[in-house]
Amino acid sequence: MAAALLTPTQRYAAGALLALALRQAQIHQSVLLGAPSAAADDERASSASGGSSGSSGGSGEDAADDTGLWTHDSRGLLRPVFRFLEINPAAWAGLEETAASPEAKHHIGAFLRMIFEEDDEASSDRSDQEHALAKGVDVMAMSLRSDPLEDEAIKERDQGPMPSSSSGTAGSAEQGFPEDLLGVEKLSLDNVPATNHRKMTLLFVLLSACVADKPVSQEEEDRKSSRFRKGYDARHRVALRLLATWLDVKWIKMEAIEVMVACSAMAAAKEQEQSGENASPKSKWAKWKRGGIIGAAALTGGALLAITGGLAAPAIAAGFGALAPTLGTLMPVIGASGFAAMATAAGSVAGSVAVAASFGAAGAGLTGTKMARRIGSVKEFEFKPIGENHNQGRLAVGILVSGFAFDEEDYIRPWEGWKDNLERYILQWESKHIIAVSTAIQDWLTSRLALELMKQGAMRTVLSGFLAAFAWPATLLAATDFIDSKWSVAIDRSDKAGKMLAEVLMKGSQGNRPVTLVGFSLGARVIFKCLQELALSSDNEGLVERVVLLGAPVSVKGEQWEPARKMVAGRFVNVYSKDDWILGVTFRASLLTQGLAGIQAVDVPGVENVDVTELVDGHSSYLSAAQRILEHLELNTYYPVFIPLPPAVSKEQM
């Protein structure tokens, strides 16, 4: 099994590192990594959440305060992983205690050294497996990159000197981390051979442990709750993202490992389907879900990909089909029939369904989602696939939501060129009302009265201090009355669509896979309302990994931001433009007095604020600028970063 790739000491260190990463990631929900005061705030956050009691598994009156920690045994995020790694149960409480303590981050370097130090137990077979895995990951990562020129650029950068970055400022996404940015005082692997193949092995084993179904004791089964969600928890993915950052590993390599694990799932599921096996404990599918053959399947898959040279399903299918007899001999636990099944799975739509099903997808997935019940008068709510990453074993999902459109193509257009390895869907909702309000606003903007008001600077007055309604120019108030009815309907529908999106995620139609939510205008409000709805019931913290709101018509002081933020395991970004006076006009004075996320920063712990005023001069600009903004946010980095566009790129060129 996958855990056998590491020695007992290394498995212990791997479990400790995941625990530490989970705890640090939880702290960063409310303390942005890289903030000037992050070091002091880290300590306060750890103490305030129960770390000062010193034990997430101990006793005493303080122990009850620790139940909210991701590392607490009640969360179901660590102990199943410890069991998969075959760590002695007597050591579990100590690992949890270490992760929850205020000094947790100081242990990271020591556990990393335990991973990389050579061990007398190391065998030639294990070393060969490590190198085969690393080679497979490299080839898979190359196939995941959409731009072949990017490989050369990355290669040149990797061979050059490591860049540096100043305190509190994001530098390179993979290299040159300042110690304070990592949240680690001393992270040094000097005199330790921190080899690439060992890094890949560590990440592969931990991912295997996070996604495999682990047998539980009768005591745990008796008290098992919905917290013990099967599949791939968003908090695990964020922790792995942080761990990859500590290891100086590009995130695309972690995505490559995810695809290799998914291909293993497809093979096992397809073989069971073809052989007609029932879900008995002896079936290969049941063994895979417990981690029994996941390592062998993914390792051999990686070696095969090094031969076929790509991820394209036909190439994988042809490769597995031709080499099945040989590979079956090399890996008898899977056998020739198993690899033949993998060939069929990798080259078919059914294979993707098998992956989604193995990670808890309900029914036909997102594209087959039907509204179980209509909320209010919402009549349109449909997911449509976008991009080329479907049927290729992606273990993370992106849902993209437009909220300002002049035709149905505007639900897709802002996201078409965004390069990401997510399995992506757009949510098309209430297009009739969204198009109506967008068109009404556009018609008014081109009217003679609006042009005259702009010339007089009346629009700037609206944004110059969130004036009360009576202080607004009377002509402006009168002129925008006709927009109000359409806008109020659209706001109402966005709130209800948000509740429906929350229901879809809680139902698991996306599979138990981490979700990234990105939306602009009223689409951003849909996402925010979805998060608020998720926060109303327990055990939903592991669904959403990242959120980006662009030009959000959401009040700053009049909404519950903190509970919404807690529903997002990783980065939560608020993108705003101080010149977006369309939001000011449509939202009017009642909400402007409470502030508006789309035109100002949100002072909420853990929320990144990105000012794109230089790129966005009007609300409709997000239609063309969204893709560029997302690219410059570098969402696949762990820590907050926004790389400004070069001066030559003006708003008119967007």
Side-chain angles (χ1 to χ4, degrees):
M1 61 185 293
L5 292 168
L6 297 176
T7 67
T9 299
Q10 290 167 340
R11 292 200 299 270
Y12 173 84
L17 285 168
L18 182 67
L20 292 167
L22 278 169
R23 184 66 192 108
Q24 293 304 305
Q26 185 180 20
I27 290 173
H28 298 150
Q29 272 192 319
S30 57
V31 181
L32 289 182
L33 188 59
S37 60
D41 288 345
D42 272 2
E43 301 294 345
R44 289 195 294 270
S46 184
S47 298
S49 60
S52 59
S53 67
S55 173
S56 59
S59 58
E61 58 181 356
D62 289 334
D65 298 331
D66 294 346
T67 56
L69 298 184
W70 292 359
T71 52
H72 193 273
D73 67 325
S74 67
R75 313 302 285 184
L77 293 175
L78 270 182
R79 295 204 170 187
V81 171
F82 292 161
R83 183 176 289 105
F84 179 94
L85 295 174
E86 299 179 349
I87 297 173
N88 188 331
W92 294 358
L95 289 174
E96 292 164 349
E97 179 179 348
T98 298
S101 69
E103 296 78 22
K105 61 186 181 183
H106 307 310
H107 298 286
I108 296 170
F111 285 119
L112 282 174
R113 280 187 285 274
M114 291 173 66
I115 293 290
F116 292 109
E117 287 173 345
E118 293 303 323
D119 196 298
D120 293 338
E121 299 180 47
S123 65
S124 59
D125 287 344
R126 183 180 293 128
S127 179
D128 290 344
Q129 287 180 319
E130 284 188 338
H131 282 88
L133 173 61
K135 184 176 181 181
V137 172
D138 286 342
V139 174
M140 178 69 80
M142 288 179 63
S143 70
L144 290 178
R145 293 192 180 105
S146 56
D147 185 359
L149 296 178
E150 182 183 358
D151 294 329
E152 292 301 320
I154 290 175
K155 183 177 180 181
E156 290 179 7
R157 185 185 66 195
D158 289 350
Q159 292 173 345
M162 291 182 66
S164 61
S165 56
S166 59
S167 175
T169 303
S172 166
E174 293 95 13
Q175 297 179 340
F177 309 115
E179 291 175 353
D180 61 324
L181 187 58
L182 282 173
V184 181
E185 284 192 356
K186 184 63 175 176
L187 180 59
S188 173
L189 294 177
D190 295 341
N191 303 317
V192 178
T195 54
N196 178 65
H197 62 268
R198 185 65 53 78
K199 294 178 182 180
M200 297 304 104
T201 301
L202 171 62
L203 293 172
F204 170 76
V205 169
L206 284 177
L207 174 64
S208 302
C210 289
V211 302
D213 283 354
K214 280 72 64 176
V216 297
S217 65
Q218 187 59 49
E219 178 185 355
E220 288 173 319
E221 186 67 39
D222 292 341
R223 65 181 179 85
K224 195 171 183 180
S225 70
S226 57
R227 289 184 187 276
F228 294 81
R229 184 184 292 110
K230 295 182 179 180
Y232 194 6
D233 194 286
R235 293 164 291 185
H236 276 151
R237 196 171 199 244
V238 172
L240 290 171
R241 196 182 286 276
L242 177 55
L243 184 52
T245 302
W246 289 341
L247 294 170
D248 195 15
V249 170
K250 299 174 182 65
W251 180 248
I252 196 168
K253 292 193 175 184
M254 190 67 227
E255 291 177 316
I257 293 173
E258 288 180 337
V259 173
M260 292 164 69
V261 169
C263 284
S264 302
M266 285 194 284
K270 195 66 180 180
E271 182 180 7
Q272 177 172 314
E273 176 187 322
Q274 290 186 333
S275 62
E277 289 180 338
N278 296 320
S280 67
K282 295 182 180 180
S283 71
K284 286 193 173 79
W285 175 237
K287 290 179 181 178
W288 181 89
K289 293 182 76 178
R290 293 195 182 96
I293 65 170
I294 186 173
L299 276 174
T300 312
L304 177 67
L305 285 165
I307 298 171
T308 62
L311 174 63
I316 292 180
F320 275 124
L323 298 176
T326 302
L327 294 172
T329 302
L330 293 174
M331 290 288 181
V333 69
I334 299 177
S337 62
F339 285 107
M342 188 182 285
T344 304
S348 68
V349 175
S352 180
V353 174
V355 171
S358 69
F359 287 89
L366 286 174
T367 53
T369 295
K370 302 296 182 184
M371 290 182 283
R373 64 183 183 90
R374 296 190 182 278
I375 297 179
S377 51
V378 175
K379 296 180 180 178
E380 183 183 20
F381 188 89
E382 180 182 2
F383 294 94
K384 295 182 177 180
I386 181 175
E388 301 176 351
N389 295 337
H390 296 263
N391 309 324
Q392 294 189 14
R394 297 303 200 267
L395 293 190
V397 177
I399 297 177
L400 313 169
V401 192
S402 295
F404 196 86
F406 300 109
D407 54 51
E408 290 194 3
E409 288 300 311
D410 284 340
Y411 279 85
I412 301 175
R413 193 175 290 118
W415 323 110
E416 281 183 313
W418 182 35
K419 298 175 183 177
D420 198 284
N421 285 316
L422 297 168
E423 181 177 295
R424 293 181 293 153
Y425 300 85
I426 61 126
L427 172 58
Q428 185 163 316
W429 62 286
E430 295 294 86
S431 57
K432 174 183 175 182
H433 295 286
I434 298 304
I435 292 172
V437 71
S438 303
T439 303
I441 291 173
Q442 188 71 11
D443 289 345
W444 182 78
L445 288 176
T446 57
S447 68
R448 180 178 300 176
L449 176 57
L451 294 174
E452 183 62 29
L453 288 168
M454 282 185 253
K455 187 182 299 184
Q456 296 173 6
M459 307 311 184
R460 184 69 61 181
T461 302
V462 172
L463 298 174
S464 64
F466 310 141
L467 303 177
F470 62 80
W472 286 25
T475 50
L476 179 58
L477 287 172
T480 56
D481 277 346
F482 80 101
I483 297 177
D484 283 355
S485 60
K486 293 182 176 63
W487 181 258
S488 60
V489 170
I491 286 288
D492 174 71
R493 300 296 168 84
S494 67
D495 292 355
K496 290 169 180 173
K499 292 182 179 181
M500 295 172 67
L501 178 58
E503 287 191 359
V504 168
L505 297 183
M506 288 188 285
K507 181 182 177 182
S509 295
Q510 76 284 0
N512 286 331
R513 299 179 289 173
V515 177
T516 292
L517 299 172
V518 183
F520 82 93
S521 187
L522 287 164
R525 186 178 177 92
V526 169
I527 291 171
F528 186 82
K529 291 298 179 180
C530 166
L531 297 175
Q532 285 188 322
E533 188 70 16
L534 291 177
L536 293 179
S537 54
S538 60
D539 308 334
N540 293 324
E541 295 90 343
L543 297 174
V544 180
E545 181 193 1
R546 300 171 298 179
V547 161
V548 180
L549 308 179
L550 303 102
V554 179
S555 64
V556 172
K557 299 178 182 177
E559 298 283 2
Q560 295 295 314
W561 282 82
E562 287 81 0
R565 176 64 186 93
K566 289 182 180 179
M567 291 299 103
V568 185
R571 292 175 62 184
F572 188 122
V573 188
N574 174 53
V575 176
Y576 67 96
S577 169
K578 290 180 284 189
D579 285 350
D580 191 355
W581 53 264
I582 291 178
L583 279 183
V585 170
T586 51
F587 246 59
R588 306 295 286 273
S590 60
L591 289 178
L592 274 175
T593 55
Q594 299 176 342
L596 199 59
I599 57 179
Q600 69 180 97
V602 177
D603 186 17
V604 173
V607 174
E608 299 173 40
N609 290 290
V610 174
D611 185 349
V612 294
T613 303
E614 295 302 315
L615 310 179
V616 175
D617 55 2
H619 200 61
S620 60
S621 298
Y622 284 111
L623 280 168
S624 57
Q627 175 189 327
R628 297 295 300 277
I629 293 171
L630 290 175
E631 289 172 354
H632 287 267
L633 282 173
E634 291 202 358
L635 290 178
N636 277 327
T637 61
Y638 176 82
Y639 50 83
V641 60
F642 179 74
I643 298 178
L645 290 173
V649 180
S650 64
K651 294 174 182 177
E652 290 74 17
Q653 293 173 302
M654 293 292 292

